[in-house]
Amino acid sequence: MDFDAIVIGSGQAGVPLATRLAKSGRRVLLAERGALGGTCVNTGCTPTKTLVASARAAHVARTGGRLGVRVEAVQVDFPAVVARKDAMVGTWQEGVTRRIAGAGATLRLVRDHARLVGERTVEVGGERHRADLIVLNVGARPVQPPIPGLGQVPWLDNRRVMQLPELPQHLVVVGGGYIGCELAQAFRRFGAAVTILEPGPRLLAREDVEASQAIEAVFRAEGLTVLLGAPVQAVSGGPGQVTVRLSGGTSVEGSHLLVATGRRPNTDDLGCSEGGVRLDGRGFVEVDDRYQTSAPGVYAVGDCAGGPQFTHTAWDDHRLLFEVLAGRGTRGRKDRLVPYTVYTDPQVAGVGLTEREARARGVAVEVATLPFGSIARAIETDEKAGLVKVLLDPATERILGASIVGAEAGELIHVFAALMQAGAPARALVDLEAVHPSFAEGLQAAVMTLPRYALT
Ligand SMILES: Cc1cc2nc3c(=O)[nH]c(=O)nc-3n(C[C@H](O)[C@H](O)[C@H](O)COP(=O)(O)OP(=O)(O)OC[C@H]3O[C@@H](n4cnc5c(N)ncnc54)[C@H](O)[C@@H]3O)c2cc1C
């Protein structure tokens, strides 16, 4: 049988695209060389957020005294934590399997590595297939940075650290980005000693400096060691003992080494040059605003297409591309809002411009800031760390960006995302009757710190 469409990769864009195309009557081949569901389900969002939930339970139990609830000797059953995480991954994997099976006989799943071997032609499972439509959804994987000695020590990436059978005694984390921060805090809460080594001057470098500082303060208060401006010179050691040498001659000893320094696209073994698909200097597939690559009929979506690397972005890519293919696409990939959340505790969430980006681009902004600890709900629940920051266009009162560090920031950010999506002015939030006591009240209060909304 030959195919109308070939989708390479069963990630967050590939599965919904393949199944919807098949349900619309097209003959579709879906190729997957690894676990069904891709990064999010197997080694990304699902397992990390499941671990983070267990870690938070330990933290809440341990610190209950601040609310007058004392729990004696909190014990973390690490194998049970890992088993819960594995079960959760299994449940989501089953969901993906069901979804693929439910698409009907016109969808054929081939569990193998696929590569382009010519114009609109793919080799997979020992066969060659040509299709008018090819979609690349091959995702990304952790970078192995060029640290001298790394190849000789048993270092962990986000995949391997979540398979550890026992809690590390001392986890050394190289990289203070979101993956490093989420995992570092979780392992600290499970009971490991944790040291973060960040070469730059602050954690979560994409955020405004106040957000980075808020997270750093929380981490230090929880007993994590945070070394900033600490580029790694070399590593050495073996199982259960690693030494990380830093510039300046100091070194850090630990039992395990987690390296979280970025991700690279899975395009190096995809046959892009044979297929006429151009890559950028970092290996991402070059696509236009409608996901079209340099090869006619070949599209790319998700992490490999070089946009923000989030599950919701990959999923949204599938939706936009489906509309493009149906001839209905009016929105492009570039003119959309991409909210995000870092699942540290407190969470860090953002949408639109940060203040730093606005200033760098010369965009005129009014900035409203409110400490999270000024919000009644935050005081009553003792979740006071963080802040709310909102950027407004002074001429139109429209929101240009927002960032929140605080409890449930990942939920709260949707208030700003929805207002921005609707093109509504910030006054809409001022005129809202917000529930008391709620964290959301703080969003309104933040905006009302601006003189134009002050009550007189
Ligand atoms: C630790 C971690 C935590 C994360 N947490 C979050 C989060 O909380 N929220 C969020 O939004 N995002 C999160 N992400 C990012 C998110 O997981 C990714 O952005 C998302 O999964 C990308 O989906 P995708 O469809 O582009 O690719 P993937 O999900 O990576 O899917 C690509 C698939 O293609 C397959 N493949 C690759 N090459 C080939 C080939 N040649 N032939 C056949 N198959 C191939 C791969 O095996 C893989 O299954 C996290 C990532 C990590 C690593």
Side-chain angles (χ1 to χ4, degrees), residues 12 32-33 38-40 49 113-114 137-138 178 303 310-311:
Q12 296 305 307
E32 173 53 62
R33 69 179 179 190
T39 305
C40 174
K49 271 75 248 185
H113 177 84
N137 175 228
V138 292
Y178 87 92
D303 284 4
F310 300 117
T311 285

Side-chain angles (χ1 to χ4, degrees), residues 400-411:
L400 299 176
S403 81
I404 307 173
V405 182
E408 304 298 355
E411 308 298 329

Side-chain angles (χ1 to χ4, degrees), residues 11-73:
Q12 296 305 307
V15 171
L17 253 178
T19 52
R20 287 182 68 194
L21 287 169
K23 282 181 176 170
S24 72
R26 268 164 280 195
R27 296 162 303 163
V28 181
L29 186 154
L30 172 63
E32 173 53 62
R33 69 179 179 190
L36 285 180
T39 305
C40 174
V41 167
N42 296 287
T43 57
C45 329
T46 301
T48 50
K49 271 75 248 185
T50 307
L51 288 179
V52 163
S54 296
R56 179 166 161 79
H59 173 74
V60 169
R62 220 175 265 132
T63 59
R66 68 206 158 103
L67 302 177
V69 178
R70 248 167 264 294
V71 179
E72 299 303 327

Side-chain angles (χ1 to χ4, degrees), residues 8-14 31-35 37-40 43-45 48-49 112-115 137-140 158 162 178-179 182-183 263 266 269-270 301-304 309-312 314 341 343:
I8 304 181
S10 72
Q12 296 305 307
E32 173 53 62
R33 69 179 179 190
T39 305
C40 174
T43 57
C45 329
T48 50
K49 271 75 248 185
D112 192 20
H113 177 84
R115 54 179 292 127
N137 175 228
V138 292
N158 68 282
M162 290 190 280
Y178 87 92
I179 294 175
E182 288 180 5
L183 288 168
R263 295 175 62 74
N266 293 322
D269 49 4
L270 188 58
V301 285
D303 284 4
C304 72
Q309 294 186 15
F310 300 117
T311 285
H312 43 279
T341 301
Y343 287 86

Side-chain angles (χ1 to χ4, degrees), residues 226-246:
V226 180
L227 300 181
L228 301 173
V232 173
Q233 296 295 300
V235 297
S236 58
Q241 196 280 321
V242 284
T243 302
V244 182
R245 194 151 49 78
L246 303 174

